[in-house]
């Protein structure tokens, strides 16, 4: 469910010129890859198995009663409304932003390219605290504003990459036939970027389904917050499990929509040779208007949280509330877990991504779809399932960082798998066939040819996972070893007791650390 994080090939790394449209799919999936992918799916399906097992163990009638409660239906409708509104908002922000960066002569394009990606580094709960402390917005619209602002780069980044590699010849022909700029773009370019926009928007939808921090801060009754309350506060287990099952069903709908959008990808798009000639001129007035709009967007998404937390951090230093040693330890743990989760997610995603890039079989499609279901669940459900699995199979791993890294790998496999799929799909099969004809084994062909060309896209997916792991909260709260804190968990602990001054340094350091992968991601996916 991750947007197609396509990376523009560098000079000399693409397929040889003059070969025309090259094959990127094979007919028969590798049995070894199928077996590895099935093992990954079995691991990723752990939360769903946990939910079903626990549901079957509930008293007779309790599950049915919980399902038909009016409150359950209200929570479901609230969540659907939130997902639809946020997804629409990210499209309304992401598409124009990507067009300004990729297809106009916007001044300081590279700077805007980085700034519009940096909201990925701002955790939703940090942005939520900032907006709550400065404005009266709460509830539904408060949640919409915060989640839309921090997740809009999920649309901006892939659409920018798609626009940069889109074929502009058809649009030029439409203009010569008398079509205006908007009509030419609508008929010729929009079909080329629609799969990227759709994949990004659907990732936003899945992210919103599992969002906990922002809706809890805004006190909006969505499924995730209610699940946390049912498991932790009232401990209404039947209700919590039913709500989890509803989230799984909604995640499945999102997955099906993503696959439908991807099937409409007609394979358009080649990297343009003369990018400057294809950029629209904005003029002085347009430059001023565009700069003003982007400045407002970046201030709302980045400036408000950073300024608010900086002011509180200064107050905490003045009041001697700064926990310097504990802050440094939490920062080191956050970086370590981010790298570990990114590496594991990328490794788990390799068989799924390679199969989905090279084969269109229904078996492959089913395996790929199954890996996405756990990503729509709240972190507390994944955490409980991992506790269950660790105590059942390997009790010695319980309360260790290994279980936490494994949870991150399971949770964020989809983010890495989409990048692997796109990167491998851009490597022509002819190059692999040539290497095989020279007597190299499949493993040697992968390391020498496919992986060598696909690694930038795979690395982009790993960066996205590392960025997300650093901000992850619910699963980390449940699975972290006793006495171990990340920046996110310590921040949440302090804000939960209204120690906002002491929490502010953790928020600032978290945003700064998360900005590194966000910056690298924007540079890798953006303009050259």
């Amino acid at each position: 469910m991750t947007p197609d994080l396509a990376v523009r090939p560098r000079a000399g790394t693409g397929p040889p010129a003059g070969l025309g449209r090259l094959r990127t799919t094979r007919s028969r999936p590798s049995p070894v890859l199928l077996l590895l992918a099935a093992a990954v799916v079995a691991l990723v399906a752990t939360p769903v198995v946990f939910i079903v097992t626990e549901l079957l163990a509930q008293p007779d009638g309790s599950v049915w009663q919980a399902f038909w409660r009016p409150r359950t239906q209200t929570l479901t409708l609230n969540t659907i409304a939130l997902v639809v509104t946020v997804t629409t908002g990210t499209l309304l922000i992401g598409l124009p932003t990507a067009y300004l960066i990729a297809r106009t002569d916007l001044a300081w394009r590279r700077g805007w390219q980085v700034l519009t990606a940096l909201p990925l580094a701002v955790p939703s709960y940090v942005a939520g605290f900032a907006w709550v402390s400065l404005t009266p917005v709460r509830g539904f619209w408060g949640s919409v504003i915060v989640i839309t602002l921090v997740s809009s780069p999920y649309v901006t980044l892939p659409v920018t990459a798609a626009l940069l590699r889109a074929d502009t010849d058809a649009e030029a022909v439409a203009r010569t036939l008398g079509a205006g700029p908007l009509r030419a773009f609508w008929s010729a370019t929009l079909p080329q970027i629609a799969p990227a926009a759709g994949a990004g928007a659907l990732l936003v939808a899945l992210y919103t389904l599992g969002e906990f921090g922002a809706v809890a801060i805004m006190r909006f009754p969505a499924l995730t917050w209610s699940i946390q309350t049912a498991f932790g506060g009232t401990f209404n287990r039947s209700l919590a499990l039913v709500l989890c099952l509803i989230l799984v069903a909604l995640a499945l709908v999102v997955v099906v929509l993503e696959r439908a959008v991807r099937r409409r990808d007609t394979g358009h798009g080649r990297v343009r040779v003369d990018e400057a000639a294809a950029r629209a001129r904005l003029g002085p007035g347009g430059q001023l208007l565009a700069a003003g709009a982007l400045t407002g967007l970046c201030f709302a998404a980045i400036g408000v949280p950073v300024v608010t937390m900086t002011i509180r951090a200064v107050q905490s230093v003045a009041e001697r509330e700064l926990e310097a040693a504990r802050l440094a330890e939490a920062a080191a743990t956050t970086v370590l877990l981010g790298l570990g989760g990114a590496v594991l997610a990328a490794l788990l995603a390799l068989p799924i991504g390679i199969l989905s890039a090279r084969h269109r079989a229904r078996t492959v499609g089913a395996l790929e779809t199954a890996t996405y279901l756990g990503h729509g669940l709240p972190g507390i459900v994944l955490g409980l399932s991992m506790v269950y699995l660790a105590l059942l199979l390997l009790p010695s791993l319980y309360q260790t960082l290994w279980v936490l890294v494994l949870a991150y790998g399971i949770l964020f496999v989809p983010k890495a798998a989409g990048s692997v799929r796109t990167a491998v799909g851009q490597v022509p099969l002819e190059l692999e066939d040539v290497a095989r004809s020279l007597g190299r084994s499949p493993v040697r062909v992968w390391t020498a040819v496919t992986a060598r060309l696909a690694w930038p896209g795979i690395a982009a997916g790993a960066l996205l996972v590392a960025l997300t792991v650093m901000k992850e909260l619910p699963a980390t709260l449940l699975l972290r070893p006793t006495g171990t804190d990340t920046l996110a968990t310590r921040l949440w602990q302090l804000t939960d007791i209204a120690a906002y001054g002491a929490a502010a340094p953790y928020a600032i350091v978290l945003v700064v650390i998360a900005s590194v992968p966000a910056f690298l991601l924007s540079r890798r996916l953006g303009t050259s």
Side-chain angles (χ1 to χ4, degrees):
M1 201 61 50
T2 189
D4 292 336
L5 299 181
V7 178
R8 301 175 60 210
R10 297 179 180 178
T13 63
L19 291 182
R21 185 173 295 277
L22 303 179
R23 295 185 301 116
T24 58
T25 58
R26 295 187 185 276
S27 56
R28 293 185 178 180
S30 165
V32 175
L33 283 178
L34 284 174
L35 184 61
L36 290 174
V40 172
V41 168
L43 185 63
V44 173
T46 301
V48 180
V49 173
F50 168 75
I51 292 173
V52 173
T53 303
E54 290 295 305
L55 277 172
L56 294 176
Q58 297 304 301
D60 294 340
S62 61
V63 172
W64 189 254
Q65 183 180 4
F67 182 80
W68 285 109
R69 285 180 55 180
R71 179 68 171 172
T72 301
Q73 299 172 26
T74 300
L75 292 171
T76 303
L77 292 176
N78 285 351
T79 302
I80 293 174
L82 182 66
V83 169
V84 172
T85 308
V86 169
T87 303
T88 303
T90 56
L91 284 171
L92 293 176
I93 291 174
L95 288 174
T97 302
Y99 183 84
L100 286 173
I101 294 173
R103 296 292 293 273
T104 71
D105 63 344
L106 178 68
W108 202 52
R109 287 190 309 119
R110 292 190 177 184
W112 290 121
Q113 166 195 328
V114 173
L115 286 178
T116 54
L118 286 183
L120 286 176
V122 180
S124 62
Y125 42 89
V126 172
F129 282 125
W131 279 84
V132 163
S133 63
L134 292 179
T135 70
V137 295
R138 301 290 190 278
F140 176 77
W141 288 111
S143 302
V144 167
I145 291 172
V146 169
I147 301 174
T148 300
L149 288 173
V150 301
S151 60
S152 60
Y154 287 127
V155 174
T156 303
L157 287 174
V159 172
T160 300
L163 282 170
L164 286 170
R165 69 178 189 268
D167 184 4
T168 58
D169 291 343
E171 188 173 342
V173 170
R175 292 295 303 274
T176 61
L177 295 177
L182 290 178
R183 184 178 178 185
F185 179 84
W186 182 272
S187 61
T189 304
L190 188 60
Q192 298 182 59
I193 66 172
L202 289 167
L203 175 60
V204 172
L206 201 61
Y207 170 81
T208 308
L209 274 178
E211 171 58 35
F212 165 73
V215 296
I217 293 168
M218 293 294 173
R219 296 295 187 264
F220 177 65
L223 286 170
T224 48
W225 186 29
S226 300
I227 290 171
Q228 183 88 7
T229 303
F231 268 126
T234 61
F235 208 77
N236 188 338
R237 200 173 186 83
S238 297
L239 176 60
L241 292 169
V242 167
L243 297 180
C244 289
L245 191 63
I246 293 173
L247 267 183
V248 172
L250 293 177
L252 181 60
V253 172
V254 172
V255 172
V256 172
L257 287 175
E258 191 273 344
R259 293 189 61 82
V261 169
R262 200 194 319 157
R263 280 196 297 267
R264 296 182 60 183
D265 187 356
T266 58
H268 288 296
R270 303 175 186 275
V271 177
R272 296 197 303 270
V273 177
D274 185 7
E275 294 181 6
R279 295 197 185 109
R281 293 186 175 276
L282 294 177
Q287 291 280 358
L288 185 62
L289 183 62
L294 292 176
T295 300
L297 172 63
C298 293
F299 179 77
I302 308 169
V304 170
V306 170
V307 170
T308 303
M309 293 302 165
T310 300
I311 293 173
R312 291 191 178 275
V314 172
Q315 293 173 348
S316 72
V317 173
E319 297 172 3
R320 298 183 179 181
E321 296 179 338
L322 179 62
E323 308 170 334
R326 194 166 186 175
L327 175 62
E329 184 179 353
T333 303
T334 299
V335 173
L336 177 65
L337 290 174
L339 294 176
V343 171
L344 180 59
L347 290 175
L348 292 176
L350 280 177
I352 298 292
I354 295 171
L355 283 173
S356 59
R358 293 305 194 202
H359 306 282
R360 296 293 182 263
R362 292 183 178 179
T363 303
V364 173
L367 289 172
E368 185 187 12
T369 299
T371 62
Y372 293 139
L373 293 181
H375 189 50
L377 292 173
I380 186 174
V381 179
L382 176 67
L384 288 171
S385 67
M386 292 307 300
V387 170
Y388 168 80
L389 184 65
L391 292 177
L392 180 66
L393 301 179
L394 293 169
S396 61
L397 290 181
Y398 180 63
Q399 278 283 298
T400 66
L401 291 179
W402 294 107
V403 174
L404 188 53
V405 171
L406 180 60
Y408 291 146
I410 292 174
L411 190 61
F412 301 122
V413 162
K415 291 183 181 295
S419 299
V420 174
R421 181 190 69 232
T422 303
V424 173
Q426 291 175 339
V427 179
L429 283 176
E430 281 80 357
L431 297 181
E432 296 180 358
D433 293 338
V434 170
R436 292 292 298 273
S437 68
L438 296 176
R440 294 188 177 183
S441 66
V443 175
R444 288 287 305 279
V445 171
W446 164 256
T447 56
V449 179
T450 311
R452 189 173 181 180
L453 295 176
W455 78 265
I458 297 174
L463 283 173
L464 185 60
V465 172
L467 175 64
T468 310
V469 167
M470 291 177 185
K471 302 185 299 178
E472 205 285 328
L473 180 63
T476 310
L477 283 172
L478 190 63
L479 292 173
R480 62 191 173 91
T482 302
T484 301
D485 283 317
T486 66
L487 292 170
T489 59
R490 187 58 183 157
L491 169 63
W492 187 264
Q493 291 168 354
L494 292 171
T495 52
D496 194 43
I497 59 174
Y500 299 115
Y506 289 91
I508 293 295
V509 174
L510 178 57
V511 171
V512 170
I513 292 177
S515 295
V516 175
F519 171 78
L520 295 175
L521 193 62
S522 69
R523 298 290 292 177
R524 186 167 295 281
L525 300 180
T527 57
S528 58

